[in-house]
Amino acid sequence: MSAKEEILGRIRSALGDGPIPAEIPRAYRTGSLLPDDEVIDLLVDRLVDYKAGVQVLDAAQASQAVADILHDARTVVYPQGLDTQLFGALPETVELIADGGQRQLSVAELDQADAVITSSAVSIAESGTIILDGSADQGRRAISLVPDHHLCVVPASTIVQLLPEAMERLTITRPLTWISGPSATSDIELERVEGVHGPRTLDVLILRDA
């Protein structure tokens, strides 16, 4: 018998003599009890509390809202799969840089960008959390974490009230990024510092279904 087999044998023996594992109750809520409009309002309330900028609007208004939010930007990064109609109202002076496919921007290039715009996979209203899963319209994790300003587009149809609802829509093996407001942390004296490990500014456009 090898040392590994002996160790595993002892573990199996110890577990065999232990108490029967307790049954874990699974009677918690797994679905929303609120109408869709109230779920959106709840998400907005949580995001605003986290100091994010939030607008709820129709899809037809999205390109103008993007232009208004990014009016001071000179360079904007976006994932290759994002709908470029969102940029329709941006002035020609703004340099749009696609990331993905054969071109992946370096950390230094991402750091120099004024902003990044992505879509999102699922948003949880109760916790005010937006989740990106690395799909083509969201891109790799670095592009939403390095630039100092993140503009995130949230389709209303992807908003759920509770975490269990969100988990049903996600593939947990994908590279998930969970965002609850701008990057912020506090030291032992509770002094809030923003932008330490992600964007200092988060703007969210919630687009109503057509």
Side-chain angles (χ1 to χ4, degrees):
M1 178 182 296
S2 67
K4 177 181 177 180
E5 291 171 336
E6 183 179 355
I7 292 171
L8 292 177
R10 290 181 180 181
I11 292 174
R12 294 188 190 98
S13 176
L15 291 175
D17 295 335
I20 299 174
E23 183 176 349
I24 301 174
R26 301 291 184 185
Y28 48 77
R29 281 193 299 137
T30 59
S32 174
L33 300 177
L34 298 176
D36 291 346
D37 287 346
E38 291 187 25
V39 172
I40 293 174
D41 289 343
L42 180 61
L43 176 62
V44 171
D45 179 74
R46 296 292 191 268
L47 289 171
V48 170
D49 191 51
Y50 293 150
K51 299 186 177 182
V54 188
Q55 297 182 49
V56 182
L57 62 166
D58 296 330
Q61 302 171 293
S63 61
Q64 186 57 55
V66 168
D68 292 341
I69 293 170
L70 301 179
H71 65 279
D72 288 332
R74 294 164 299 173
T75 55
V76 176
V77 173
Y78 67 96
Q80 194 175 47
L82 189 69
D83 182 2
T84 54
Q85 292 184 8
L86 291 167
F87 309 136
L90 284 173
E92 295 181 357
T93 54
V94 176
E95 181 184 6
L96 297 169
I97 307 172
D99 180 272
Q102 296 182 347
R103 184 185 184 190
Q104 289 195 348
L105 302 176
S106 67
V107 172
E109 289 175 310
L110 291 172
D111 191 45
Q112 291 299 313
D114 294 313
V116 59
I117 177 170
T118 73
S119 187
S120 56
V122 186
S123 295
I124 307 170
E126 192 168 62
S127 63
T129 303
I130 300 170
I131 305 172
L132 280 57
D133 68 0
S135 295
D137 59 355
Q138 298 153 55
R140 56 197 177 102
R141 299 187 74 230
I143 72 169
S144 62
L145 295 175
V146 178
D148 203 43
H149 184 182
H150 181 193
L151 172 53
C152 189
V153 177
V154 174
S157 60
T158 65
I159 301 173
V160 297
Q161 182 186 350
L162 304 172
L163 175 62
E165 295 176 280
M167 296 306 297
E168 289 179 357
R169 299 189 181 200
L170 295 169
T171 302
I172 61 173
T173 55
R174 295 187 66 85
L176 303 178
T177 304
W178 297 57
I179 302 167
S180 295
S183 166
T185 189
S186 297
D187 61 19
I188 195 171
E189 296 180 353
L190 301 182
E191 291 290 335
R192 180 183 172 98
V193 180
E194 298 177 348
V196 175
H197 42 63
R200 194 187 318 269
T201 302
L202 174 66
D203 282 302
V204 180
L205 293 182
I206 299 175
L207 302 186
R208 301 187 190 94
D209 300 335

